[in-house]
Amino acid sequence: MGQVISLPFKLFHTTATFWSGMYHYLCGGGRRNPYNPSSFLKANEKDSAEEVLFKQHARVHLYGMASAFYLYNKPHYRKGSYRDDLLDNLRNLAFPGTGIPLSWFVWNKLSALGLVLGINPLVCLMASFHHWWQTGGSISKEYATRLLAPNDWFSYWRLNCNIVGLHSYLDKTRCQADYDMENKWTFLQEAEKLKVPISPYLKMPAVVLKHRNEEGGLGIFFYKNAVDGGDWIIQEKISNSDWVSSVLPPNAPLSTFRVLTQSRSGLSEKSPEPSDVMALSCVFRAGRKNAATDHDSILFDVNHSTGEIKGGTTNQHWYKLGFFQWVRCPWRSEHSFTHHPDGNIPITGEVVQPDISKLMQLAEEAHYKMCPLVPLAGWDVVLCKEEPTICLLEVNLSCNFFRGSFDEKVYFDFMEDAITSFQAKRLLQDKKK
């Protein structure tokens, strides 16, 4: 009975902490002064290691959310503004079980503020009761996790995007060339110059595609190659390696490994060094049968030290749009796949072949050589039959972990160091206005 009586007070305290934290980093002392971990949710001697990490996570999360409003109308490295990038990236995403595109709520700062301060706590509360209904777990603890230190893929993705967006804006003069790697053609050209292995591309000026049965000038298409100033990168189709094919169903797409790396080179003015870069996580995107790409896949976590493949999951419930999704859409997904569902092929427990260190080394070297100043980068690594047998497809600088596991202490220490550096640049820019 005591727990029931105290529940509303615990929920209110968590909500008040969230609102005060947003105020602190949006327009209070956290916005006007250098970043200081002791200024909000300060850890004390009595805190356990778990509680210290929770507070650190919460500080980073709240600062990241608040920084989105600072960036809202400012230029973005791949769009006209941060707002434009938000609208593009959130148009096919919804809080699981709602079916409403999140892009509807970010058309202006006021609606975005309503989403963050009003709708977000409500959704977190509903998720906490749902968690209690499904597992019997603590409502108040789950609510604090969901609202203050969320560990879902979407929250980590938005945090990464906000930190990268902040850096690209505040240090644009120094780092613009690094952020140009998001462009797929620039990426291929630069990788070739630096002898970073990439998926091969064809160098003829153009190609013509004809339907075998159309006549009268119909069914014919002309594509001008990027090598000749066109918009299209023309490549031969490459295929999965024998080992990758052995854990996939027939007619599966090219299935990549997403390796996420961090770099400290952009956090200071010193010259980049290889030791600045380290891999954080690895996920095997096991494509589904008859899918065109591995965007439709089961996401298997990979131990990036040993290469052992762990449990698989999906994030497709975040992409369910429509009025009736509140009935049909699952709210959560666990790492419950041990086999590929298309053919019941065992994957969990398999060890990546060849040695996983070769994939990690390729991603780390590419980050150092191609975009060392970018704090975080997601690399699509391919194991294929053709040469080079280990190569990169592209890099994603507004990257997410794809549900992969990582050392949270290493990650949040890095993020607080990045915030400390970028907040200092932000205050310098404020003085120039």
Side-chain angles (χ1 to χ4, degrees):
M1 179 62 71
Q3 290 183 341
V4 174
I5 295 173
S6 66
L7 179 60
F9 297 98
K10 292 179 180 179
L11 298 178
F12 176 79
H13 179 266
T14 296
T15 308
T17 301
F18 173 73
W19 284 338
S20 63
M22 285 299 299
Y23 175 83
H24 177 70
Y25 292 118
L26 194 60
C27 53
R31 169 65 184 88
R32 300 188 303 268
N33 300 305
Y35 182 79
N36 181 1
S38 298
S39 67
F40 188 77
L41 287 179
K42 179 181 178 180
N44 59 62
E45 295 179 355
K46 295 181 180 180
D47 287 340
S48 65
E50 181 182 2
E51 290 169 326
V52 171
L53 184 61
F54 179 90
K55 290 181 177 180
Q56 184 182 33
H57 185 165
R59 288 193 300 270
V60 170
H61 173 66
L62 293 170
Y63 181 94
M65 291 188 77
S67 69
F69 292 92
Y70 168 78
L71 292 169
Y72 189 78
N73 288 314
K74 292 180 171 58
H76 190 269
Y77 70 89
R78 64 183 182 188
K79 291 289 180 180
S81 69
Y82 181 83
R83 172 187 178 273
D84 295 340
D85 195 65
L86 270 180
L87 289 172
D88 271 3
N89 280 287
L90 299 185
R91 69 184 186 276
N92 63 341
L93 283 163
F95 286 132
T98 65
I100 304 172
L102 288 170
S103 58
W104 288 13
F105 301 98
V106 296
W107 279 97
N108 56 60
K109 276 189 177 182
L110 187 60
S111 62
L113 197 64
L115 171 66
V116 171
L117 298 182
I119 296 175
N120 176 43
L122 180 60
V123 170
C124 291
L125 183 63
M126 293 170 61
S128 302
F129 275 95
H130 179 266
H131 175 74
W132 166 76
W133 181 259
Q134 294 289 319
T135 69
S138 168
I139 295 172
S140 60
K141 185 176 181 180
E142 180 68 9
Y143 182 61
T145 298
R146 298 274 70 81
L147 189 60
L148 296 177
N151 52 11
D152 57 272
W153 78 270
F154 176 82
S155 297
Y156 283 135
W157 171 50
R158 294 317 309 164
L159 174 57
N160 292 346
C161 290
N162 292 339
I163 295 303
V164 165
L166 197 62
H167 175 248
S168 66
Y169 172 70
L170 293 170
D171 208 8
K172 182 176 181 179
T173 303
R174 183 179 178 225
C175 68
Q176 183 57 55
D178 289 40
Y179 282 96
D180 287 343
M181 293 304 106
E182 184 93 7
N183 180 291
K184 293 176 176 61
W185 177 232
T186 305
F187 169 81
L188 291 175
Q189 289 179 299
E190 192 64 19
E192 195 169 47
K193 289 179 187 176
L194 297 170
K195 302 187 183 307
V196 174
I198 51 171
S199 54
Y201 60 93
L202 304 180
K203 298 184 179 180
M204 72 277 290
V207 294
V208 180
L209 303 181
K210 295 181 181 180
H211 192 280
R212 61 184 181 178
N213 287 323
E214 293 279 358
E215 295 182 1
L218 300 175
I220 183 169
F221 302 94
F222 298 85
Y223 293 93
K224 188 176 182 181
N225 201 334
V227 299
D228 198 42
D231 292 328
W232 300 95
I233 298 169
I234 302 173
Q235 299 176 290
E236 290 188 34
K237 183 179 179 181
I238 58 178
S239 51
N240 292 309
S241 70
D242 290 339
W243 177 82
V244 172
S245 296
S246 72
V247 293
L248 295 175
N251 203 29
L254 187 68
S255 297
T256 60
F257 291 79
R258 165 57 63 89
V259 179
L260 197 143
T261 54
Q262 68 175 36
S263 172
R264 290 184 169 272
S265 297
L267 277 56
S268 68
E269 301 302 316
K270 70 179 183 64
S271 298
E273 299 177 0
S275 59
D276 292 339
V277 179
M278 69 175 294
L280 288 176
S281 68
C282 180
V283 169
F284 174 44
R285 300 193 293 191
R288 302 299 301 270
K289 184 177 182 179
N290 298 324
T293 71
D294 63 1
H295 287 85
D296 184 5
S297 61
I298 305 300
L299 308 173
F300 283 90
D301 190 17
V302 179
N303 184 317
H304 70 278
S305 296
T306 67
E308 181 181 1
I309 300 179
K310 298 187 278 188
T313 186
T314 177
N315 59 4
Q316 289 302 305
H317 54 303
W318 282 83
Y319 292 88
K320 302 295 184 182
L321 305 180
F323 178 76
F324 292 104
Q325 293 303 330
W326 66 276
V327 176
R328 298 194 293 249
C329 178
W331 286 30
R332 300 168 187 263
S333 67
E334 305 296 334
H335 283 79
S336 55
F337 288 94
T338 58
H339 292 59
H340 197 294
D342 303 328
N344 198 35
I345 304 165
I347 297 182
T348 298
E350 291 286 327
V351 177
V352 175
Q353 302 294 332
D355 194 298
I356 191 70
S357 63
K358 294 182 179 180
L359 282 72
M360 301 301 107
Q361 183 179 0
L362 173 57
E364 290 174 345
E365 288 183 356
H367 198 157
Y368 167 66
K369 290 180 178 181
M370 300 183 69
C371 52
L373 300 182
V374 177
L376 296 158
W379 306 89
D380 290 339
V381 185
V382 180
L383 300 179
C384 55
K385 289 183 180 179
E386 298 79 9
E387 292 291 338
T389 55
I390 304 177
C391 65
L392 300 175
L393 285 187
E394 61 186 37
V395 64
N396 298 270
L397 305 182
S398 291
C399 53
N400 78 76
F401 288 99
F402 280 106
R403 307 290 305 274
S405 61
F406 55 94
D407 189 319
E408 293 181 17
K409 180 60 177 170
V410 169
Y411 173 70
F412 286 114
D413 282 348
F414 170 77
M415 292 300 263
E416 280 207 312
D417 290 344
I419 289 170
T420 300
S421 173
F422 304 159
Q423 177 67 7
K425 294 180 185 294
R426 190 174 173 187
L427 295 176
L428 282 176
Q429 190 162 109
D430 289 343
K431 291 180 180 180
K432 294 177 182 180
K433 294 180 179 179

